[in-house]
Amino acid sequence: MRTIGIDIGTTTISAVVLDREQERVVTARTVANDSFIRSSNAWERIQDAEMIWRKAKAVLDELLDRYPDTESIGLTGQMHGIVYTNRHGMGISPLYTWQDGSGNLPYQDGMSLAAYISDRYGIRISSGYGLLTHLYHCLHGEVPREGVCLCTIADYMGMRLTDRKKPLVHMSNGAGLGFFDGRKSIFREKMIEELGMDPAFLPEITTKFSRLGEYRGIPVTAALGDNQASFLGSVGRAENTVLLNVGTGGQISVLSDAYFESPEIEARPFADGKYLLAGSSLCGGRAYAILERFFRSYAAAAGAEDTPQYEIMEKLARKGMAADLAISGADDLTSAASPAPERLEVCTAFHGTRADPKCRGSITGMTEDNFTPEGITYGVLKGMAKELYDMYEVIRRGTGICADTLVASGNGVRRNPVLLAIFGQMFGIRPLLSDAEEEAALGAALSSAGDA
């Protein structure tokens, strides 16, 4: 009664073995996804798809050797990005990741390609969405000559494991490619044709966790989008529950019966007619990494050893939190939620936002007293949290959904208790840490076992 779930993330590849009888993860494995390729195009963020396949397969084979009685294999991974495949089902391009910036490049009438599409068709699409990246390639003659289809990296993993020639993509990943009608769970083919893209490149869509085939005699199911997998692995199907995930990026998700979208919020297909209302901060946990890089650079320039600064930054963040409490005269962060003019505020939109790619980060409210290392460190954490809280407010106002439970996941909060406390302050709810550390991999295992 065991099943394996694999999550191909941007920076790591993780897998879990789920014992369904005992309802617990018996083994977890994580390796670095150090597959980024240097590109001559500044807007590109590409990874070696073949290297990712080899790394993920090695992890899977290791677990199957230890647990040969595994009954099914589930997949998930970074959404939005695409790999081109040929007629034999083999990848013939790098993985153009969700961080691809081609959609933000100038296109027509002073607008970017993403803005032009949104303005012309009234749909929500952002740079990094696979079909927008594909459109850019079509416009510039950069589609591989032997390419016949495209899919996400997790779907490509499924193809390779089962020797499929064409991908079968769950609607959760299909929606992440863009030009997708979430209500009907189909691609907007007429729109795609009008823009000069060949609909033959589109993968087949399934609304179920369909069986792709077998690997080593074990059924492999269609890959689930990583946001949906993380929610399933952390929250299950709980309503009025907010899931906060902070890793390389940042994300807020709420389960809903109703379809609701805004410039900041997507309605992502989940299962059984439900949607995940999701908002994403483009920088997320990277904002803290950017600050660490700043401190490390200064330390090295001052003659100190070039070593990670996170341990020192945690101490600074705690001092900053104490100073924030002192400003308001509050006993805890929950009662210190109201703004004060003496507070230093940091906007962490270093890479823009989905709604406004031109937006940039900022620091305001600086005074002689708060412009300190601890003030900046605490301010960055608070800025990371505020990006996600503001998205929740959009969902609450648009749907009436009021959260009574707050679940946090991802290494960005697991390793940062101050950030966890800030979330509690903003939402007015004591946050719970997800029981599973590899939430997306667990969600993939659950979907494969039919427990989604």
Side-chain angles (χ1 to χ4, degrees):
M1 295 290 288
R2 294 190 181 99
T3 185
I4 292 176
I6 298 176
D7 172 28
I8 302 174
T10 310
T11 56
T12 60
I13 298 170
S14 302
V16 300
V17 180
L18 173 67
D19 187 314
R20 295 178 62 202
E21 285 187 338
Q22 299 182 29
E23 296 184 340
R24 69 183 184 93
V25 172
V26 294
T27 299
R29 180 93 165 86
T30 297
V31 298
N33 182 4
D34 49 356
S35 62
F36 273 104
I37 303 170
R38 193 179 297 274
S39 172
S40 58
N41 297 321
W43 60 87
E44 281 186 338
R45 291 282 286 171
I46 55 178
Q47 291 181 315
D48 187 329
E50 188 64 24
M51 180 186 292
I52 292 174
W53 150 249
R54 290 196 304 268
K55 279 177 169 279
K57 179 177 178 295
V59 171
L60 175 59
D61 283 337
E62 175 190 326
L63 295 178
L64 288 178
D65 289 343
R66 291 178 61 188
Y67 301 97
D69 58 343
T70 295
E71 295 183 337
S72 62
I73 299 167
L75 305 170
T76 187
Q78 50 177 297
M79 297 168 68
H80 309 306
I82 54 169
V83 177
Y84 289 103
T85 61
N86 63 17
R87 62 187 180 89
H88 303 294
M90 298 297 292
I92 54 172
S93 76
L95 166 63
Y96 297 93
T97 74
W98 60 276
Q99 297 169 330
D100 185 272
S102 59
N104 288 334
L105 296 175
Y107 175 62
Q108 189 170 309
D109 299 329
M111 291 188 289
S112 67
L113 185 58
Y116 172 80
I117 297 299
S118 298
D119 182 70
R120 176 176 173 180
Y121 292 102
I123 63 171
R124 184 186 189 282
I125 193 163
S126 301
S127 189
Y129 280 48
L131 284 175
L132 190 65
T133 303
H134 176 56
L135 175 57
Y136 177 86
H137 293 163
C138 289
L139 292 171
H140 293 81
E142 295 177 6
V143 178
R145 185 173 301 176
E146 296 179 10
V148 298
C149 199
L150 56 81
C151 63
T152 74
I153 188 64
D155 295 310
Y156 179 59
M157 175 83 177
M159 291 177 67
R160 291 294 298 270
L161 289 174
T162 58
D163 294 322
R164 290 183 68 91
K165 301 299 184 287
K166 187 165 184 176
L168 177 63
V169 174
H170 187 262
M171 59 182 176
S172 58
N173 264 332
L177 296 176
F179 294 99
F180 194 83
D181 187 330
R183 291 185 175 90
K184 298 179 181 178
S185 295
I186 58 173
F187 286 110
R188 303 176 191 269
E189 291 198 20
K190 182 179 178 182
M191 193 181 297
I192 287 167
E193 281 189 290
E194 282 182 5
L195 289 165
M197 292 183 281
D198 184 355
F201 272 80
L202 299 173
E204 182 183 352
I205 293 294
T206 176
T207 58
K208 302 182 183 300
F209 300 114
S210 303
R211 180 170 162 170
L212 300 176
E214 293 185 351
Y215 178 68
R216 292 174 53 166
I218 301 168
V220 180
T221 53
L224 181 62
D226 64 354
N227 181 206
Q228 290 87 339
S230 291
F231 196 91
L232 185 61
S234 304
V235 177
R237 289 174 174 268
E239 298 183 347
N240 298 321
T241 299
V242 170
L243 174 64
L244 299 164
N245 182 275
V246 182
T248 306
Q251 205 160 58
I252 183 169
S253 309
V254 181
L255 191 63
S256 173
D257 292 322
Y259 187 96
F260 169 76
E261 282 194 324
S262 77
E264 302 89 357
I265 304 300
E266 287 182 82
R268 295 177 172 175
F270 187 65
D272 299 330
K274 293 183 180 293
Y275 300 93
L276 273 190
L277 306 185
S280 301
S281 55
L282 297 183
C283 210
R286 260 192 307 165
Y288 205 53
I290 290 168
L291 181 63
E292 190 272 343
R293 188 175 65 200
F294 172 84
F295 283 137
R296 185 190 291 209
S297 175
Y298 173 79
E305 188 177 350
D306 185 7
T307 57
Q309 302 294 303
Y310 289 111
E311 187 174 339
I312 298 171
M313 288 167 64
E314 183 180 348
K315 295 177 182 177
L316 292 172
R318 289 184 182 279
K319 286 184 179 179
M321 181 169 62
D324 200 49
L325 291 171
I327 288 173
S328 61
D331 295 326
D332 56 47
L333 281 172
T334 302
S335 54
S338 59
E342 299 87 356
R343 283 200 177 104
L344 180 146
E345 303 287 343
V346 180
C347 169
T348 53
F350 296 114
H351 299 283
T353 66
R354 293 279 192 210
D356 183 6
K358 294 182 179 179
C359 177
R360 290 296 178 264
S362 63
I363 303 174
T364 58
M366 289 186 292
T367 68
E368 182 179 352
D369 294 325
N370 67 25
F371 185 53
T372 61
E374 54 265 33
I376 295 292
T377 304
Y378 181 72
V380 166
L381 290 174
K382 202 166 182 180
M384 290 162 55
K386 190 174 187 303
E387 277 198 83
L388 297 179
Y389 178 76
D390 287 347
M391 294 173 194
Y392 164 71
E393 281 293 291
V394 172
I395 294 173
R396 185 186 62 79
R397 290 193 298 267
T399 65
I401 295 174
C402 292
D404 54 29
T405 305
L406 188 64
V407 178
S409 66
N411 287 334
V413 286
R414 288 188 183 281
R415 298 173 181 174
N416 205 318
V418 175
L419 179 59
L420 193 65
I422 293 170
F423 278 128
Q425 165 226 325
M426 289 191 176
F427 284 84
I429 304 170
R430 187 173 296 279
L432 306 172
L433 272 176
S434 171
D435 291 334
E437 291 197 22
E438 299 300 342
E439 298 90 352
L442 176 57
L446 289 168
S447 71
S448 179
D451 294 331

